[in-house]
Amino acid sequence: MNEIVFKKVLCPNITMFKIKTPELVERAEAGQFVILRAYEESERIPMSIGGLDRENGLLTIVVMEVGKSSAEIVRMEVGEHFMDVVGPLGVPTHIEDFGGTCVVIGGGVGIPPIRPIAEALKDKGNKVVGIIGARSQDLLIFEEELGEICDDLIITTDDGSKGMKGFVTHALQKMIDDGENVKFVMAVGPVIMMKNIAKTTEPYGISTWVSLNPIMVDGTGMCGGCRVSVDGKSKFACVDGPDFDGHKVDFDELMQRQAMYKDQEKVAYDDYLHKCKIGLDRS
Ligand code: FES
């Protein structure tokens, strides 16, 4: 259970794992997430579902090393077992035949989770266009995987090293300006990206959903750690989300809450890297 059967470094700092967890994979749906712990003493961290191989019972997760917990995970190897993988958690993405073009947008490690969503939208008969963005070509991930599913895949890079130069919002605005009949947008990625996508679609009244990634602890609606404000009301991303109407989310508050423990996170990460260096911890 929870054994790593495949590991691949996709680009500097971003690693993909396939984990054997058949019961979870059987029940999981696009848009949900899991909470996992590398070792007994590790922190519990939420992770989006990046792929579901139901035939083989494999869950795909994609991890970016940004702190102690993610650093521990990316150092795990094939054959090791996660202490626990809890899920599926959260409400699945609402999928229907939207009667027009659906655009799935991913940035950074938000790109893998849009793959199961794109698949589910295709299964319902929608035309699906993917837009993925990164700072530069060497940081782009899941291009092939999304290219296989989407009717069209648009790539943007900040530096113009691949695809359209600029941000995912520029590609979306161009689609709208070109007269594409966009009926539904789903975005997963950095909060600032999701905020700007919601801003782009709002004047056109295009249904726009975002997958929020606030700090989580228990993942059951008990601790309050993942509180977000949506339409002026408090919601818990772990049980009410993670998907919310992007036109109603208070993104600025979310950004403030995400930065709350930055100093403590940096201390823990530096300490972990130091221990790795002197051989007291995993390296
Ligand atoms: S993670 Fe505790 S309430 Fe959502």
Side-chain angles (χ1 to χ4, degrees):
M1 217 30 184
N2 305 335
E3 183 187 357
I4 297 169
V5 297
F6 180 82
K7 175 184 180 182
K8 186 179 179 190
V9 177
L10 300 178
C11 67
N13 260 13
I14 299 184
T15 306
M16 174 171 78
F17 293 94
K18 292 190 182 198
I19 306 165
K20 187 102 185 159
T21 173
E23 281 170 30
L24 188 154
V25 168
E26 171 102 39
R27 289 179 287 122
E29 290 181 54
Q32 291 185 291
F33 66 99
V34 299
I35 288 189
L36 48 81
R37 219 164 29 134
Y39 306 104
E40 196 171 355
E41 68 285 0
S42 303
E43 213 181 15
R44 295 154 54 84
I45 60 169
M47 199 63 68
S48 299
I49 291 175
L52 295 164
D53 174 353
R54 296 195 202 271
E55 207 178 310
N56 298 299
L58 300 180
L59 165 76
T60 300
I61 59 159
V62 176
V63 186
M64 179 189 274
E65 181 172 336
V66 289
K68 178 181 182 253
S69 301
S70 50
E72 271 182 350
I73 293 173
V74 301
R75 282 158 179 77
M76 293 179 82
E77 296 296 342
V78 170
E80 284 193 82
H81 297 248
F82 280 91
M83 185 67 199
D84 35 51
V85 182
V86 178
L89 298 169
V91 182
T93 298
H94 173 73
I95 304 285
E96 61 175 65
D97 180 351
F98 286 97
T101 303
C102 298
V103 186
V104 291
I105 305 175
V109 281
I111 298 173
I114 64 170
R115 180 175 66 162
I117 296 170
E119 270 171 346
L121 287 166
K122 280 299 293 177
D123 286 348
K124 283 279 180 195
N126 292 287
K127 176 183 177 185
V128 180
V129 176
I131 303 176
I132 58 174
R135 280 203 312 278
S136 67
Q137 181 177 7
D138 54 332
L139 297 172
L140 267 173
I141 58 172
F142 268 51
E143 188 184 331
E144 212 180 296
E145 288 87 340
L146 277 157
E148 286 166 1
I149 299 160
C150 298
D151 294 284
D152 204 0
L153 181 66
I154 301 165
I155 291 166
T156 68
T157 49
D158 301 4
D159 62 3
S161 51
K162 185 153 191 184
M164 181 192 241
K165 185 175 180 346
F167 302 130
V168 289
T169 40
H170 298 143
L172 177 62
Q173 184 68 60
K174 186 171 182 315
M175 276 183 75
I176 296 168
D177 292 346
D178 288 349
E180 184 80 39
N181 182 25
V182 181
K183 289 285 188 194
F184 173 75
V185 170
M186 178 75 217
V188 191
V191 179
I192 188 70
M193 181 200 95
M194 296 190 287
K195 177 183 174 178
N196 287 329
I197 285 166
K199 257 194 198 165
T200 304
T201 57
E202 199 162 19
Y204 306 97
I206 297 168
S207 174
T208 300
W209 288 73
V210 293
S211 177
L212 302 186
N213 53 346
I215 292 163
M216 286 191 190
V217 183
D218 64 326
T220 63
M222 301 292 284
C223 72
C226 67
R227 185 179 64 75
V228 290
S229 295
V230 182
D231 206 14
K233 297 185 190 80
S234 284
K235 297 278 177 189
F236 296 124
C238 65
V239 287
D240 300 318
D243 295 355
F244 292 99
D245 182 338
H247 298 147
K248 295 181 176 163
V249 171
D250 185 338
F251 288 105
D252 295 333
E253 182 195 65
L254 176 59
M255 282 189 266
Q256 272 173 17
R257 283 178 66 86
Q258 276 189 328
M260 238 161 40
Y261 300 107
K262 241 183 173 163
D263 293 345
Q264 291 91 329
E265 282 165 6
K266 188 174 179 330
V267 170
Y269 187 32
D270 288 348
D271 181 54
Y272 174 76
L273 292 179
H274 177 67
K275 281 180 178 161
C276 286
K277 213 169 156 188
I278 61 173
L280 284 179
D281 221 320
R282 302 180 63 85
S283 58

